Amino acid sequence: MPARTRTVLITGAAGFVGRHLCRYLADAGWRVRAAVRTLPATPLGRDGLTYRAVGNMAGPLDWAPVLAGVEAVVHAAARVHVLRERAQDPLEAFRRANVT
């Protein structure tokens, strides 16, 4: 089990993969910092799990305060399952959200 002082940041923590990964790592003893667009109405309620609302990750963000003290980052945020595409250039929107 990792020491409680180790902190991991999970982007996309409100998504399917991110939500389950946050639970798993928090239960395994990690401090988990969950990066989400907006704070959840119903937090997971795990010891060692905190939420950071960062807004839309496709725009410019100051990651310094979110990354302070973080040892590892798992980037689970992604643009997926867009059922009603509204972007003029869907490929560019996908690359901006998932790569850039």
Side-chain angles (χ1 to χ4, degrees):
M1 179 186 308
R4 279 306 245 173
T5 57
R6 292 187 176 181
T7 302
V8 60
L9 173 71
I10 309 294
T11 66
F16 180 79
V17 172
R19 187 173 57 247
H20 290 282
L21 184 58
C22 286
R23 286 181 186 144
Y24 176 82
L25 291 174
D27 288 347
W30 284 84
R31 280 188 183 169
V32 177
R33 190 170 299 163
V36 293
R37 286 187 195 146
T38 59
L39 295 178
T42 309
L44 288 177
R46 294 281 203 285
D47 286 341
L49 176 62
T50 59
Y51 290 89
R52 293 288 178 95
V54 296
N56 186 345
M57 289 184 218
L61 292 173
D62 179 9
W63 284 98
V66 180
L67 291 169
V70 168
E71 186 172 327
V73 175
V74 177
H75 180 49
R79 184 176 198 265
V80 296
H81 307 298
V82 178
L83 300 178
R84 292 189 181 117
E85 183 62 67
R86 293 192 177 109
Q88 278 189 308
D89 186 348
L91 181 58
E92 173 56 28
F94 176 85
R95 287 181 175 153
R96 187 174 56 249
N98 297 352
V99 179
T100 308

